Coordinates of all heavy atoms in Angstrom, one line a residue:
M79 N -6.9 -7.9 12.5 CA -7.9 -8.9 11.9 C -7.1 -10.1 11.8 O -6.1 -10.2 11.1 CB -8.5 -8.3 10.6 CG -9.3 -9.2 9.9 SD -10.1 -8.7 8.4 CE -10.6 -7.2 8.6
N80 N -7.7 -11.2 12.3 CA -7.1 -12.5 12.1 C -7.3 -13.1 10.8 O -8.3 -12.7 10.0 CB -7.5 -13.5 13.2 CG -8.9 -13.9 13.2 OD1 -9.4 -14.3 12.1 ND2 -9.5 -14.0 14.4
S81 N -6.6 -14.1 10.3 CA -6.6 -14.7 9.0 C -8.1 -15.4 8.7 O -8.6 -15.3 7.7 CB -5.6 -15.8 8.8 OG -4.3 -15.2 8.9
Q82 N -8.6 -16.1 9.7 CA -9.9 -16.7 9.5 C -11.0 -15.7 9.3 O -11.7 -15.8 8.3 CB -10.3 -17.5 10.8 CG -9.4 -18.7 11.0 CD -9.5 -19.7 9.9 OE1 -10.3 -19.6 8.9 NE2 -8.8 -20.8 10.0
F83 N -11.0 -14.6 10.0 CA -12.0 -13.5 9.8 C -11.8 -12.8 8.4 O -12.7 -12.6 7.7 CB -11.9 -12.5 10.9 CG -12.9 -11.4 10.7 CD1 -14.2 -11.5 11.1 CD2 -12.5 -10.2 10.2 CE1 -15.2 -10.5 10.9 CE2 -13.4 -9.1 10.0 CZ -14.8 -9.4 10.3
A84 N -10.5 -12.6 8.1 CA -10.2 -12.0 6.8 C -10.7 -12.9 5.6 O -11.1 -12.4 4.6 CB -8.6 -11.7 6.7
L85 N -10.5 -14.2 5.7 CA -10.9 -15.1 4.7 C -12.4 -15.1 4.6 O -13.0 -15.1 3.4 CB -10.3 -16.5 4.8 CG -8.9 -16.6 4.6 CD1 -8.4 -18.0 5.0 CD2 -8.5 -16.4 3.2
K86 N -13.1 -15.1 5.7 CA -14.5 -15.1 5.7 C -15.0 -13.8 5.1 O -16.0 -13.7 4.2 CB -15.1 -15.1 7.1 CG -15.0 -16.6 7.6 CD -15.6 -16.7 9.1 CE -15.4 -18.1 9.6 NZ -15.8 -18.2 10.9
R87 N -14.4 -12.7 5.3 CA -14.7 -11.4 4.8 C -14.5 -11.3 3.3 O -15.3 -10.8 2.5 CB -14.0 -10.3 5.5 CG -14.3 -8.9 5.0 CD -15.6 -8.4 5.7 NE -15.9 -7.0 5.2 CZ -16.8 -6.7 4.5 NH1 -17.8 -7.4 4.2 NH2 -17.0 -5.4 4.1
L88 N -13.4 -11.9 2.9 CA -13.0 -11.9 1.4 C -14.1 -12.7 0.7 O -14.5 -12.3 -0.3 CB -11.6 -12.6 1.3 CG -11.1 -12.8 -0.2 CD1 -11.0 -11.4 -0.9 CD2 -9.8 -13.4 -0.2
R89 N -14.5 -13.9 1.2 CA -15.5 -14.7 0.6 C -16.8 -13.9 0.4 O -17.4 -14.0 -0.6 CB -15.7 -15.9 1.4 CG -16.9 -16.8 0.9 CD -17.0 -18.1 1.7 NE -16.1 -19.1 1.3 CZ -15.5 -20.0 2.0 NH1 -15.9 -20.1 3.3 NH2 -14.7 -20.9 1.6
T90 N -17.2 -13.1 1.4 CA -18.4 -12.4 1.4 C -18.3 -11.3 0.3 O -19.2 -10.9 -0.4 CB -18.6 -11.7 2.7 OG1 -18.8 -12.8 3.7 CG2 -19.9 -10.9 2.7
L91 N -17.2 -10.6 0.2 CA -16.9 -9.5 -0.7 C -16.9 -9.9 -2.1 O -17.5 -9.2 -3.0 CB -15.6 -8.7 -0.3 CG -15.7 -8.0 0.9 CD1 -14.2 -7.4 1.2 CD2 -16.6 -6.8 0.8
V92 N -16.2 -11.1 -2.5 CA -16.0 -11.4 -3.8 C -16.9 -12.5 -4.3 O -17.0 -12.8 -5.5 CB -14.6 -11.8 -4.1 CG1 -13.7 -10.7 -3.8 CG2 -14.1 -13.1 -3.4
G93 N -17.6 -13.2 -3.4 CA -18.5 -14.3 -3.9 C -17.7 -15.6 -3.9 O -16.5 -15.7 -4.1
E94 N -18.5 -16.7 -4.0 CA -17.8 -18.0 -3.9 C -17.0 -18.5 -5.1 O -15.9 -18.9 -4.9 CB -18.9 -19.1 -3.6 CG -18.4 -20.4 -3.2 CD -17.7 -20.5 -1.9 OE1 -18.0 -19.7 -1.0 OE2 -16.7 -21.2 -1.7
P95 N -17.4 -18.2 -6.3 CA -16.6 -18.7 -7.4 C -15.2 -17.9 -7.4 O -14.2 -18.6 -7.7 CB -17.4 -18.3 -8.7 CG -18.9 -18.3 -8.2 CD -18.7 -17.8 -6.7
L96 N -15.2 -16.6 -7.3 CA -14.0 -15.9 -7.3 C -13.1 -16.2 -6.1 O -11.9 -16.3 -6.2 CB -14.2 -14.4 -7.3 CG -13.1 -13.5 -7.5 CD1 -12.1 -13.9 -8.7 CD2 -13.5 -12.0 -7.6
Y97 N -13.8 -16.4 -4.9 CA -13.0 -16.8 -3.7 C -12.3 -18.1 -4.0 O -11.2 -18.2 -3.7 CB -14.0 -16.9 -2.6 CG -13.4 -17.4 -1.3 CD1 -12.6 -16.5 -0.4 CD2 -13.5 -18.8 -0.9 CE1 -12.0 -17.1 0.7 CE2 -12.8 -19.2 0.2 CZ -12.1 -18.4 1.0 OH -11.5 -18.8 2.2
E98 N -12.9 -19.1 -4.6 CA -12.3 -20.4 -4.8 C -11.1 -20.2 -5.8 O -10.0 -20.8 -5.7 CB -13.3 -21.3 -5.3 CG -14.3 -21.9 -4.2 CD -15.3 -22.8 -4.8 OE1 -15.2 -23.3 -5.9 OE2 -16.3 -23.0 -4.0
K99 N -11.3 -19.3 -6.8 CA -10.1 -19.1 -7.8 C -9.0 -18.4 -7.1 O -7.9 -18.7 -7.3 CB -10.7 -18.2 -8.9 CG -9.7 -17.7 -9.9 CD -9.3 -18.8 -10.8 CE -8.4 -18.3 -11.9 NZ -7.4 -19.2 -12.3
I100 N -9.3 -17.4 -6.2 CA -8.2 -16.8 -5.4 C -7.4 -17.8 -4.5 O -6.2 -17.8 -4.5 CB -8.8 -15.6 -4.6 CG1 -9.3 -14.5 -5.4 CG2 -7.7 -15.1 -3.6 CD1 -10.0 -13.4 -4.8
I101 N -8.2 -18.6 -3.8 CA -7.6 -19.6 -3.0 C -6.7 -20.6 -3.8 O -5.7 -21.0 -3.4 CB -8.7 -20.3 -2.1 CG1 -9.4 -19.4 -1.2 CG2 -8.1 -21.6 -1.4 CD1 -8.5 -18.7 -0.2
S102 N -7.3 -20.9 -5.0 CA -6.5 -21.9 -5.8 C -5.2 -21.3 -6.3 O -4.2 -21.9 -6.4 CB -7.4 -22.3 -6.9 OG -6.7 -23.0 -8.0
D103 N -5.3 -20.0 -6.7 CA -4.1 -19.4 -7.3 C -3.2 -18.9 -6.3 O -1.9 -18.9 -6.5 CB -4.6 -18.2 -8.2 CG -5.3 -18.5 -9.5 OD1 -5.3 -19.7 -9.8 OD2 -5.7 -17.6 -10.2
L104 N -3.6 -18.4 -5.1 CA -2.8 -17.8 -4.1 C -2.6 -18.7 -2.9 O -1.9 -18.2 -1.9 CB -3.2 -16.4 -3.8 CG -3.3 -15.4 -4.9 CD1 -3.9 -14.1 -4.5 CD2 -1.9 -15.2 -5.5
G105 N -3.2 -19.8 -2.8 CA -3.2 -20.6 -1.6 C -1.7 -20.8 -1.1 O -0.8 -21.2 -1.9
G106 N -1.4 -20.7 0.2 CA -0.1 -20.9 0.8 C 0.7 -19.6 0.7 O 1.9 -19.6 1.3
S107 N 0.3 -18.5 0.0 CA 1.0 -17.3 -0.1 C 0.7 -16.4 1.1 O -0.5 -16.4 1.6 CB 0.6 -16.6 -1.4 OG 1.0 -17.4 -2.4
T108 N 1.5 -15.5 1.3 CA 1.1 -14.4 2.2 C 0.8 -13.1 1.4 O 1.7 -12.7 0.6 CB 2.3 -14.1 3.2 OG1 2.6 -15.3 3.9 CG2 2.0 -13.0 4.1
V109 N -0.3 -12.5 1.6 CA -0.7 -11.3 0.8 C -0.9 -10.2 1.9 O -1.6 -10.5 2.8 CB -2.0 -11.6 0.1 CG1 -2.4 -10.4 -0.8 CG2 -1.7 -12.8 -0.9
Y110 N -0.5 -9.0 1.6 CA -0.7 -7.9 2.4 C -1.5 -6.9 1.6 O -1.2 -6.5 0.5 CB 0.7 -7.3 2.7 CG 0.6 -5.9 3.4 CD1 0.2 -5.8 4.7 CD2 0.7 -4.8 2.7 CE1 0.1 -4.6 5.3 CE2 0.6 -3.5 3.4 CZ 0.4 -3.5 4.7 OH 0.1 -2.3 5.3
F111 N -2.5 -6.4 2.3 CA -3.3 -5.3 1.7 C -3.1 -4.1 2.5 O -3.3 -4.1 3.8 CB -4.9 -5.7 1.8 CG -5.3 -6.9 1.0 CD1 -5.4 -8.2 1.6 CD2 -5.5 -6.7 -0.3 CE1 -5.7 -9.2 0.9 CE2 -5.8 -7.8 -1.1 CZ -6.0 -9.1 -0.5
P112 N -2.6 -3.0 1.9 CA -2.4 -1.8 2.7 C -3.6 -1.3 3.3 O -4.8 -1.3 2.8 CB -1.9 -0.8 1.6 CG -1.6 -1.6 0.4 CD -2.4 -2.8 0.5
A113 N -3.4 -0.8 4.5 CA -4.6 -0.3 5.4 C -5.2 0.9 4.7 O -6.4 1.1 5.0 CB -4.0 0.0 6.8
N114 N -4.4 1.7 4.1 CA -5.0 2.9 3.4 C -5.8 2.6 2.2 O -6.3 3.6 1.7 CB -3.9 4.0 3.3 CG -2.9 3.6 2.2 OD1 -3.0 2.5 1.6 ND2 -1.9 4.5 2.0
G115 N -5.7 1.4 1.8 CA -6.6 1.1 0.6 C -6.0 1.6 -0.7 O -6.7 1.6 -1.7
S116 N -4.8 2.2 -0.7 CA -4.2 2.7 -1.9 C -3.9 1.7 -3.0 O -3.5 0.7 -2.7 CB -3.0 3.5 -1.6 OG -2.4 3.8 -2.8
P117 N -4.4 1.9 -4.2 CA -4.1 0.9 -5.3 C -2.7 0.9 -5.8 O -2.3 0.1 -6.5 CB -5.1 1.3 -6.4 CG -5.3 2.8 -6.1 CD -5.3 3.0 -4.7
L118 N -1.9 1.9 -5.4 CA -0.6 2.1 -5.8 C 0.3 0.9 -5.1 O 0.2 0.7 -4.0 CB 0.0 3.4 -5.5 CG -0.5 4.6 -6.1 CD1 0.2 5.9 -5.5 CD2 -0.4 4.6 -7.6
D119 N 1.2 0.3 -5.9 CA 2.1 -0.6 -5.3 C 3.2 0.3 -4.8 O 3.3 1.5 -5.0 CB 2.6 -1.7 -6.3 CG 3.5 -1.3 -7.3 OD1 3.9 0.0 -7.3 OD2 3.9 -2.1 -8.2
R120 N 4.1 -0.4 -4.0 CA 5.2 0.4 -3.2 C 6.0 1.1 -4.1 O 6.4 2.2 -3.9 CB 5.9 -0.6 -2.4 CG 6.8 0.1 -1.4 CD 7.5 -0.8 -0.5 NE 6.4 -1.3 0.5 CZ 6.5 -2.3 1.4 NH1 7.7 -2.9 1.4 NH2 5.5 -2.6 2.1
E121 N 6.5 0.5 -5.2 CA 7.4 1.2 -6.2 C 6.8 2.4 -6.8 O 7.3 3.5 -6.9 CB 7.9 0.2 -7.3 CG 8.9 -0.8 -6.7 CD 9.3 -1.7 -7.9 OE1 9.3 -1.3 -9.1 OE2 9.5 -2.9 -7.6
E122 N 5.5 2.3 -7.2 CA 4.7 3.5 -7.8 C 4.6 4.5 -6.7 O 4.7 5.7 -7.0 CB 3.4 3.0 -8.3 CG 3.5 2.1 -9.6 CD 2.2 1.6 -10.0 OE1 1.2 1.8 -9.3 OE2 2.1 1.0 -11.1
R123 N 4.2 4.1 -5.5 CA 4.0 5.1 -4.5 C 5.3 5.8 -4.2 O 5.3 7.0 -4.1 CB 3.6 4.4 -3.2 CG 3.4 5.3 -2.0 CD 3.5 4.6 -0.6 NE 4.9 4.2 -0.4 CZ 5.2 3.3 0.6 NH1 4.2 2.9 1.3 NH2 6.5 2.9 0.7
N124 N 6.4 5.1 -4.1 CA 7.7 5.7 -3.8 C 8.2 6.7 -4.9 O 8.7 7.8 -4.6 CB 8.8 4.7 -3.5 CG 8.6 3.9 -2.2 OD1 7.7 4.2 -1.5 ND2 9.3 2.9 -2.0
L125 N 7.9 6.3 -6.1 CA 8.2 7.2 -7.3 C 7.4 8.5 -7.1 O 7.9 9.6 -7.3 CB 8.0 6.5 -8.6 CG 8.3 7.3 -9.8 CD1 9.7 7.7 -9.9 CD2 7.9 6.5 -11.1
Q126 N 6.1 8.3 -6.8 CA 5.2 9.5 -6.7 C 5.7 10.3 -5.5 O 5.7 11.6 -5.6 CB 3.8 9.1 -6.5 CG 2.9 10.2 -6.4 CD 2.8 10.9 -7.8 OE1 2.6 10.3 -8.8 NE2 2.9 12.3 -7.8
I127 N 6.1 9.7 -4.4 CA 6.7 10.5 -3.3 C 7.9 11.4 -3.7 O 7.9 12.5 -3.4 CB 7.0 9.6 -2.1 CG1 5.7 9.1 -1.5 CG2 7.9 10.3 -1.1 CD1 5.9 8.0 -0.4
R128 N 8.8 10.7 -4.4 CA 10.0 11.4 -4.9 C 9.6 12.6 -5.8 O 10.2 13.7 -5.8 CB 11.0 10.5 -5.6 CG 11.7 9.6 -4.6 CD 12.8 8.8 -5.3 NE 12.9 7.6 -4.7 CZ 12.3 6.4 -5.0 NH1 11.6 6.4 -6.1 NH2 12.5 5.3 -4.4
D129 N 8.7 12.3 -6.9 CA 8.2 13.3 -7.7 C 7.7 14.5 -7.0 O 7.9 15.6 -7.3 CB 7.2 12.7 -8.7 CG 7.9 11.8 -9.7 OD1 9.2 11.8 -9.9 OD2 7.1 11.1 -10.4
D130 N 6.8 14.2 -6.0 CA 6.1 15.2 -5.2 C 7.1 16.1 -4.6 O 7.1 17.3 -4.5 CB 5.2 14.6 -4.2 CG 3.9 14.1 -4.8 OD1 3.6 14.4 -6.0 OD2 3.0 13.5 -4.1
F131 N 8.1 15.4 -3.9 CA 9.1 16.1 -3.1 C 10.0 17.0 -4.0 O 10.1 18.2 -3.7 CB 10.1 15.1 -2.4 CG 11.1 15.8 -1.6 CD1 10.9 16.4 -0.4 CD2 12.4 15.9 -2.0 CE1 11.8 17.1 0.3 CE2 13.5 16.4 -1.3 CZ 13.1 17.1 -0.1
Y132 N 10.5 16.4 -5.1 CA 11.4 17.2 -6.0 C 10.6 18.2 -6.8 O 11.3 19.2 -7.5 CB 12.3 16.3 -6.8 CG 13.3 15.6 -6.0 CD1 13.2 14.2 -5.8 CD2 14.3 16.3 -5.4 CE1 14.1 13.6 -4.9 CE2 15.3 15.7 -4.6 CZ 15.1 14.3 -4.4 OH 16.1 13.7 -3.6
S133 N 9.3 18.2 -6.9 CA 8.6 19.2 -7.6 C 8.6 20.5 -6.8 O 8.3 21.7 -7.3 CB 7.1 18.9 -7.8 OG 6.5 18.9 -6.5
G134 N 8.9 20.5 -5.4 CA 9.0 21.6 -4.6 C 7.7 22.1 -4.0 O 7.6 23.0 -3.4
K135 N 6.7 21.3 -4.4 CA 5.3 21.7 -3.8 C 4.9 21.1 -2.4 O 4.0 21.6 -1.9 CB 4.3 21.1 -4.8 CG 4.3 21.8 -6.2 CD 3.3 21.2 -7.2 CE 3.4 21.9 -8.6 NZ 2.4 21.3 -9.5
Y136 N 5.8 20.1 -2.0 CA 5.5 19.5 -0.7 C 6.7 19.5 0.2 O 7.8 19.2 -0.3 CB 5.1 18.0 -1.0 CG 3.8 17.9 -1.7 CD1 3.8 17.7 -3.1 CD2 2.5 17.9 -1.0 CE1 2.6 17.5 -3.8 CE2 1.3 17.7 -1.7 CZ 1.5 17.5 -3.2 OH 0.3 17.3 -3.8
E137 N 6.5 19.7 1.5 CA 7.4 19.5 2.5 C 7.4 18.0 2.9 O 6.3 17.4 2.7 CB 7.1 20.4 3.6 CG 7.2 21.9 3.4 CD 8.6 22.4 3.1 OE1 9.6 21.8 3.8 OE2 8.8 23.3 2.4
V138 N 8.4 17.6 3.6 CA 8.4 16.2 4.1 C 7.2 15.8 5.0 O 6.5 14.9 4.8 CB 9.7 15.9 4.7 CG1 9.7 14.6 5.4 CG2 10.8 15.9 3.7
S139 N 6.9 16.8 5.8 CA 5.7 16.6 6.8 C 4.4 16.5 5.9 O 3.5 15.7 6.3 CB 5.7 17.7 7.7 OG 5.5 18.9 7.1
D140 N 4.3 17.2 4.9 CA 3.1 17.1 3.9 C 3.0 15.8 3.3 O 1.9 15.2 3.3 CB 3.2 18.2 2.9 CG 3.2 19.7 3.4 OD1 2.5 19.8 4.5 OD2 3.8 20.5 2.8
L141 N 4.1 15.3 2.9 CA 4.1 13.9 2.2 C 3.9 12.8 3.2 O 3.2 11.9 2.9 CB 5.5 13.7 1.6 CG 5.9 14.6 0.5 CD1 7.3 14.4 0.1 CD2 4.9 14.4 -0.6
A142 N 4.3 13.0 4.5 CA 4.0 12.0 5.5 C 2.5 11.9 5.7 O 2.0 10.8 5.8 CB 4.8 12.3 6.8
R143 N 1.8 13.1 5.8 CA 0.5 13.1 6.0 C -0.3 12.5 4.7 O -1.2 11.8 4.8 CB -0.1 14.5 6.2 CG 0.1 14.9 7.7 CD -0.6 16.2 8.1 NE -0.1 17.3 7.3 CZ 1.0 18.0 7.6 NH1 1.7 17.7 8.6 NH2 1.4 19.0 6.8
K144 N 0.1 13.0 3.5 CA -0.5 12.6 2.3 C -0.5 11.1 2.1 O -1.5 10.4 1.6 CB 0.2 13.4 1.1 CG -0.5 12.9 -0.2 CD 0.2 13.7 -1.4 CE -0.4 13.3 -2.7 NZ 0.3 14.0 -3.8
Y145 N 0.6 10.5 2.4 CA 0.9 9.0 2.1 C 0.7 8.2 3.4 O 1.0 7.0 3.4 CB 2.2 8.8 1.5 CG 2.3 9.3 0.1 CD1 2.8 10.6 -0.1 CD2 1.7 8.6 -0.9 CE1 2.8 11.2 -1.4 CE2 1.7 9.2 -2.3 CZ 2.3 10.4 -2.5 OH 2.3 11.0 -3.8
D146 N 0.4 8.7 4.5 CA 0.2 8.1 5.9 C 1.4 7.3 6.2 O 1.4 6.1 6.6 CB -1.1 7.2 5.7 CG -1.6 6.7 7.1 OD1 -1.3 7.5 8.1 OD2 -2.1 5.7 7.2
L147 N 2.6 8.0 6.1 CA 3.9 7.3 6.5 C 4.5 8.3 7.5 O 4.1 9.4 7.6 CB 4.7 7.2 5.3 CG 4.3 6.3 4.1 CD1 5.1 6.4 3.0 CD2 4.3 4.9 4.6
S148 N 5.5 7.7 8.2 CA 6.3 8.5 9.1 C 7.3 9.5 8.4 O 7.6 9.2 7.2 CB 7.1 7.6 10.1 OG 8.1 7.0 9.4
I149 N 7.6 10.5 9.0 CA 8.6 11.5 8.4 C 9.9 10.8 8.1 O 10.5 10.9 7.0 CB 8.8 12.7 9.4 CG1 7.5 13.5 9.3 CG2 10.0 13.5 8.9 CD1 7.5 14.7 10.3
S150 N 10.4 9.9 9.1 CA 11.6 9.2 8.8 C 11.4 8.3 7.6 O 12.4 8.0 6.8 CB 12.1 8.4 10.0 OG 11.1 7.4 10.4
R151 N 10.3 7.6 7.3 CA 10.1 6.8 6.2 C 10.1 7.6 5.0 O 10.8 7.1 3.9 CB 8.8 6.0 6.3 CG 8.6 5.0 5.3 CD 9.5 3.8 5.4 NE 9.6 3.1 4.2 CZ 10.7 2.7 3.6 NH1 12.0 2.9 4.2 NH2 10.8 2.0 2.5
I152 N 9.6 8.7 5.0 CA 9.6 9.7 3.8 C 11.0 10.0 3.4 O 11.5 9.9 2.2 CB 8.8 10.9 4.0 CG1 7.4 10.6 4.1 CG2 9.0 11.9 2.9 CD1 6.7 9.9 2.9
Y153 N 11.8 10.4 4.4 CA 13.3 10.6 4.2 C 14.0 9.5 3.5 O 14.8 9.6 2.6 CB 13.9 11.1 5.5 CG 13.8 12.5 5.8 CD1 13.2 12.9 7.0 CD2 14.3 13.5 5.0 CE1 13.0 14.2 7.3 CE2 14.1 14.9 5.3 CZ 13.4 15.2 6.5 OH 13.3 16.5 6.8
K154 N 13.8 8.3 4.1 CA 14.4 7.1 3.5 C 14.0 6.9 2.1 O 14.9 6.5 1.2 CB 14.2 5.9 4.3 CG 14.8 5.8 5.7 CD 14.3 4.6 6.5 CE 14.9 4.7 7.9 NZ 14.5 3.7 8.8
I155 N 12.7 7.0 1.8 CA 12.3 6.9 0.4 C 12.9 7.9 -0.6 O 13.4 7.5 -1.6 CB 10.7 7.0 0.2 CG1 10.1 5.8 1.0 CG2 10.3 7.1 -1.2 CD1 8.6 5.9 1.2
I156 N 13.0 9.1 -0.1 CA 13.6 10.2 -0.9 C 15.1 9.9 -1.2 O 15.6 10.1 -2.3 CB 13.4 11.6 -0.3 CG1 11.9 12.0 -0.3 CG2 14.3 12.7 -0.9 CD1 11.6 13.1 0.6
Q157 N 15.8 9.5 -0.2 CA 17.3 9.2 -0.2 C 17.5 8.0 -1.1 O 18.7 7.9 -1.5 CB 17.9 9.1 1.2 CG 17.8 10.4 1.9 CD 18.3 10.3 3.4 OE1 18.4 9.2 3.9 NE2 18.4 11.3 4.1
A158 N 16.6 7.1 -1.3 CA 16.9 5.8 -2.0 C 16.7 6.0 -3.5 O 16.4 5.1 -4.2 CB 16.0 4.8 -1.5
R159 N 17.0 7.1 -4.0 CA 16.8 7.4 -5.4 C 17.7 6.4 -6.1 O 17.9 6.0 -7.1 CB 17.4 8.7 -5.9 CG 16.5 9.8 -5.2 CD 16.9 11.2 -5.5 NE 17.9 11.7 -6.4 CZ 17.8 12.7 -7.2 NH1 16.6 13.2 -7.4 NH2 18.8 13.2 -7.8

């Protein structure tokens, strides 16, 4: 999705007053919205991945599916304790 379309979509979703506030506060910044729509930030997600792995309830492949990440990414997160 290109930036112009994303901004138009954001304006439609949040309404004009909030859109103007967002543009005022974050103008010039780069903002990434995860495609999976997860509200967890990366640190929280990684902590949860480690907790899930060390609980013994999940295999790496299960975690990759659960968090929509590659198996190699899951290994890197687990090793980065």
Side-chain angles (χ1 to χ4, degrees):
M79 174 181 314
N80 70 40
S81 294
Q82 293 292 358
F83 180 79
L85 288 172
K86 287 179 183 178
R87 182 75 177 122
L88 179 62
R89 178 180 275 152
T90 301
L91 290 171
V92 301
E94 192 64 31
L96 185 54
Y97 175 79
E98 289 178 12
K99 177 74 171 143
I100 291 168
I101 295 301
S102 172
D103 289 356
L104 299 176
S107 301
T108 300
V109 179
Y110 171 77
F111 295 98
N114 66 3
S116 173
L118 296 177
D119 72 3
R120 188 173 290 171
E121 289 180 31
E122 290 174 350
R123 180 204 66 193
N124 292 353
L125 180 60
Q126 186 63 51
I127 288 170
R128 285 188 212 95
D129 288 347
D130 285 349
F131 179 76
Y132 289 111
S133 74
K135 295 179 183 178
Y136 295 93
E137 297 289 327
V138 171
S139 59
D140 298 328
L141 294 172
R143 279 189 300 279
K144 179 178 179 180
Y145 292 96
D146 195 25
L147 297 169
S148 68
I149 289 175
S150 63
R151 185 72 197 129
I152 295 293
Y153 276 117
K154 288 177 185 175
I155 291 167
I156 292 167
Q157 293 171 351
R159 299 182 357 139

